[in-house]
Amino acid sequence: MKIHICLTGIKTIILDCNNISQYSVFLINSALMNRRDIMSAVNPDQYSYPSVFIYGHRATGKSHVVLSIMKDLELPHASVDCVECVSSGLLFHQVLSAFFGPDAAALLPRCPSLSDFVRLYKQMSSNSPATQTRYIILDRAERMRDMDFSLLPALLRLQELVNDNVTVILLSEIVWEKFRPNTGCFEPLLFHFPDYSKGKSLVQILSWDHHPSYTPELYASYINILLGVFFSVCRDLRELRHLAVLNFSKFCEPLEKGEAKESDIHKLWKNIEPHLQRAMQTVYLREVSSVQWEQQQMDEKEATTLRVLSAHAHIELPYYSKFLLIAAYLASFNPARTDRRFFLKSHGKIRKTNFLKKHEKTSNHLLGPKPFPLDRLMAIFYSVVDSRVAPTASVFSQISSLVTLQLLSQVGHDDQLDSPKYKCSVSLDFILAISRCVCVCVRLLDLLALSLVIQSQVVRQERSLFTAVSNLHLL
Amino acid sequence: MSKRRSLTEAQCVSLAQKLLRERLCHQKLPDRPLALDSQYKHLLELLRRTAVHGESNSVLIVGPRGSGKTMLLGCVLRELMSLKEAQKNVLLVELNGLLQTDDKIALKEITRQLHLENVVGDKVFGSFAENLAFLLEALKKGDKSSSRPVVFVLDEFDLFAHHKNQTLLYNLLDVSQSAQTPVAVLGLTCRLDVLELLEKRVKSRFSHRQIHLFSSLSFAQYVDAVRAQLSLPPDFPDPKFSDAWNHSVTKLCEEKSVEEILRRHFNSSKDFHRRWCADLLEASRLISADSKAIILHGLSILELCLIIAMKHLNDTYDGEPFNFQMVHNEFKKFIQRKSHSIHKFEKPVVMKAFEHLLQLELVRPVDSGVCKVQREYQLMRLMLEHGQVMEALQRYPQCPTDVKQWALSAFA
């Protein structure tokens, strides 16, 4: 019996926050919390470890649980989000005003250094000594690494520096090894907040905000369908909740229209599944805002056609700009020595050489666009465009506007006026979409694009394609 | 005759808790530092000579993090201040390299700690040396023959060496070499090569006296130290409780599994700070967990596939940096050839998953800050090792078998 008591005694000596992970399980699994259990573990009237580091994925409840404990037990705490603290002075100001009132914070000089903060803290705490442990909670602590280099090590040992009963709690997504300064520092206690499992926790939490006019079972089945589509892509609780809220009205459409009953899960699934797939390509990627998405859902209720909403579908370019862009893409991704073969009407004999040099084994598509001079762009442009184009200023000005639209990017210095160099910044999908709009020689351009894709393959195949291309040219 | 009520069980436990917490979390100074006797005597002697006989001295205390430098200094200073002559005369100035990041700030702090703010007032000094000389002059006693000895403690000494021109160090050590005021300069640092950081003129003024604190405990002594830390002191109000407590702590330390855990910790670090005294098994598991593997546990399947694709790229190209296009290419090859359970995702969705990995710092760009290159073509490196990825895969909940087989295959 004695040993048991002693062991439980040792157990409760663990820092207060060790029970936080159990606290989060409490929150999730049961509506009632056994407050007495937690109260016996947390003992703010004594000293606690100078610093604690809590890490875990996004939306696993780190800030929520820590702040709830602080509020419920009414512990003196200062909660600071490090993203807001552009300068360390803001951090000091917030901490001092939370513990000692705004008058104390006003005593800080204009650009306070860490030395001023510690001195002021010592002064204030000697005037009002702590009866309970004070907690400083620093959310998104990875930003502290970019502030003054001595801020993080000093805060980790703040208890020693100010000689007061204070604990610093750091919350972050990133692991502790990436925080440690070069010469080492005081190691905090590490705690991990585990991520939610699909079956037990995630479904349960998401089912909490069910709509009042429908049964919880219906909502649970909706959540299961949603997770079936999105769980393999994203596990962030916030994102999943957002998506659940946005798409629920669409899910309930057949029920409202009277086409299906609540138990016809299969029908409801067939209705919602393509909608969710589209949501993955638009709302999930934030290509459209949630307001636009809801608007589109309202419009769809009247019409029955499905429209794909995407930012890319809306770029309208002038006629020659499209050709310029296609020429730029070909210039970026084809090596210069293949130009002769591609774009001249009579290219002479094709030498059967080892087409690809050793270092070019990786396809150009994987390495990125290469810069090209303006002359080459114009040469390819003239051979690609269907009609005769005179080199007027209007054509050249379209190149500048493409640069402004960031479809092309300029390489090199702005001062280089005689031979500017450019790079194409758009992807193959965009170019193919544009080339489809251009009604001339779509096949030619498609073939050219294809030949680039298979560039790393055998020379034989290439030659047949080239003959096909050259035949097209002669047409 | 006062009747002393014996404390209840709960009160005993909470009192024990309070004591142990103070000892472990707050790092209260022990009566005598453990296994540091020679260093203790050396330092005490040095400081006594400054305080009582007026000799100037400088010494560096060097030791790895957690070896007890601050604790040693605290104990020595406590004993020094118990001497009558020292108590009356000696002034203590404590500077910390983390707080006083600049010489100007350091000088203001020195002025404040010597309580000479009123004396200095609004005076403007030409140089640091003048200012310091003025301060030390002001400390002279009435008969102007002798002046009070000052002990300067410089914590994180190596950070002072990064100040501009090392003016503070130069002037302090200069004063300690010249015979004006009895000054003791004590530096504490964790860097063994701290002398290389000092400029030539500063190094020559330093007395090259170093006290090294290398923990030379054997395992048996380590276990003894742990037991001593967990035991209650003899002046605990309830002697029966404290006896029972100490007895069970001794039995705990003798148990096989506990000894194994202690040995593992002893072999990895002799840090006196980390006296985890929790449910020992659970705590030891918490401390030695691989945090990156834990983070990998919470990734989505798509992100995990991207990491496996990166691992394959690393294996094929011997660790050369890759970009998103290459990773996407590998992933597409897997989807087309081998996968049954994972269907094709659009490229922007894959890009978003990749950006999540970037945010978690599992993937880092090779040259951060260069934004002239498109996002998809920026070169990156994977911050995980082959072994870590495979281990995380084993522990991943409900991992599809084709993903696992893809990871294990030698040829992607």
Side-chain angles (χ1 to χ4, degrees), chain B residues 178 256 384 392:
Chain B
S178 56
K256 200 65 197 293
L384 294 168

Side-chain angles (χ1 to χ4, degrees), chain B residues 56-331:
Chain B
S56 286
N57 272 317
S58 52
V59 67
L60 269 181
I61 305 177
V62 180
R65 295 250 176 223
S67 49
K69 304 183 287 291
T70 318
M71 177 183 67
L72 174 70
L73 190 65
C75 291
V76 169
L77 285 175
R78 187 179 53 188
E79 180 155 345
L80 185 73
M81 290 307 181
S82 63
L83 297 171
K84 246 206 294 195
E85 314 95 350
Q87 215 172 42
K88 278 192 290 179
N89 288 344
V90 170
L91 291 166
L92 184 60
V93 175
E94 283 173 328
L95 301 174
N96 193 317
L98 290 173
L99 301 178
Q100 278 85 45
T101 47
D102 199 351
D103 285 336
K104 268 207 279 255
I105 303 176
L107 197 56
K108 264 205 287 221
E109 187 65 24
I110 296 176
T111 318
R112 232 187 28 84
Q113 288 194 21
L114 293 175
H115 305 292
L116 291 176
E117 284 140 323
N118 299 325
V119 179
V120 167
D122 283 328
K123 271 206 174 76
V124 173
F125 294 99
S127 72
F128 191 100
E130 267 180 42
N131 199 342
L132 192 61
F134 179 80
L135 288 175
L136 293 174
E137 270 292 312
L139 293 174
K140 283 205 170 140
K141 290 206 303 201
D143 56 357
K144 290 216 198 288
S145 57
S146 65
S147 106
R148 300 173 65 179
V150 188
V151 175
F152 287 95
V153 174
L154 299 168
D155 224 335
E156 313 282 345
F157 188 80
D158 45 297
L159 294 177
F160 284 106
H162 291 305
H163 292 182
K164 185 162 174 279
N165 284 341
Q166 298 181 356
T167 16
L168 176 72
L169 291 181
Y170 174 73
N171 284 297
L172 282 181
L173 292 173
D174 199 30
V175 170
S176 77
Q177 291 286 40
S178 56
Q180 305 161 12
T181 338
V183 143
V185 181
L186 300 174
L188 289 94
T189 175
C190 65
R191 288 183 69 155
L192 295 177
D193 63 342
V194 60
L195 285 182
E196 319 284 322
L197 296 170
L198 297 177
E199 278 181 24
K200 194 162 87 83
R201 55 178 187 154
V202 180
K203 207 183 340 190
S204 61
R205 282 168 173 79
F206 175 55
S207 69
H208 283 83
R209 209 180 271 119
Q210 293 186 42
I211 298 180
H212 291 279
L213 296 179
F214 296 129
S215 174
S216 52
L217 290 179
S218 67
F219 181 63
Q221 287 173 319
Y222 183 76
V223 176
D224 271 341
V226 171
R227 198 173 37 79
Q229 284 256 313
L230 287 177
S231 310
L232 293 173
D235 57 352
F236 195 75
D238 189 351
K240 271 204 317 199
F241 181 82
S242 72
D243 279 341
W245 177 277
N246 294 341
H247 182 68
S248 24
V249 168
T250 322
K251 287 201 56 185
L252 185 75
C253 292
E254 286 167 9
E255 237 182 85
K256 200 65 197 293
S257 53
V258 174
E259 203 186 300
E260 243 178 62
I261 296 172
L262 283 175
R263 190 173 280 280
R264 197 163 357 122
H265 275 272
F266 177 70
N267 287 336
S268 60
S269 110
K270 299 190 186 172
D271 202 340
F272 267 46
H273 276 191
R274 302 289 302 272
R275 295 300 180 79
W276 36 265
C277 55
D279 220 6
L280 288 166
L281 287 159
E282 197 183 314
S284 121
R285 201 169 34 84
L286 275 177
I287 289 178
S288 48
D290 182 9
S291 33
K292 273 193 186 157
I294 290 175
I295 289 285
L296 283 176
H297 187 269
L299 293 180
S300 64
I301 297 260
L302 179 60
E303 288 155 2
L304 194 68
C305 288
L306 287 180
I307 291 202
I308 297 174
M310 288 187 247
K311 179 184 86 76
H312 279 303
L313 281 174
N314 270 342
D315 292 338
T316 320
Y317 292 107
D318 272 335
E320 269 186 33
F322 48 80
N323 58 28
F324 171 68
Q325 277 291 109
M326 296 183 195
V327 178
H328 186 58
N329 208 24
E330 281 284 327
F331 178 63

Side-chain angles (χ1 to χ4, degrees), chain A residues 12 47 57-58 192 284, chain B residues 17 21 294-295 352 356 374:
Chain A
T12 53
Y47 284 106
H57 277 281
R58 268 186 260 169
H192 169 65
Y284 173 64
Chain B
Q17 218 182 32
R21 270 216 170 140
I294 290 175
I295 289 285
K352 183 159 175 171
H356 185 217
Q374 274 176 277

Side-chain angles (χ1 to χ4, degrees), chain A residues 204-212 219 223 241-242 244-245 248:
Chain A
Q204 246 185 326
I205 301 175
L206 287 171
S207 315
W208 275 350
D209 38 26
H210 67 267
H211 209 259
Y219 200 78
I223 292 291
R241 276 183 82 184
H242 179 67
V245 165
F248 189 57

Side-chain angles (χ1 to χ4, degrees), chain A residues 5-16:
Chain A
I5 293 171
C6 294
L7 278 179
T8 42
I10 294 179
K11 226 179 187 168
T12 53
I13 284 172
I14 304 172
L15 173 68
D16 321 342

Side-chain angles (χ1 to χ4, degrees), chain A residues 351-413:
Chain A
R351 277 182 318 170
K352 193 181 170 186
T353 51
N354 195 2
F355 183 59
L356 289 169
K357 297 202 177 66
K358 242 189 190 169
H359 64 268
E360 276 179 15
K361 276 284 154 53
T362 326
S363 167
N364 274 336
H365 273 248
L366 297 180
L367 290 175
K370 305 253 169 33
F372 52 85
L374 181 63
D375 306 331
R376 192 169 160 226
L377 171 66
M378 295 315 291
I380 298 181
F381 172 65
Y382 291 137
S383 76
V384 164
V385 87
D386 50 351
S387 49
R388 278 185 154 292
V389 185
T392 54
S394 59
V395 174
F396 285 105
S397 68
Q398 292 189 23
I399 300 179
S400 314
S401 45
L402 283 175
V403 173
T404 322
L405 285 172
Q406 294 191 348
L407 300 172
L408 290 186
S409 54
Q410 190 161 12
V411 176
H413 218 245

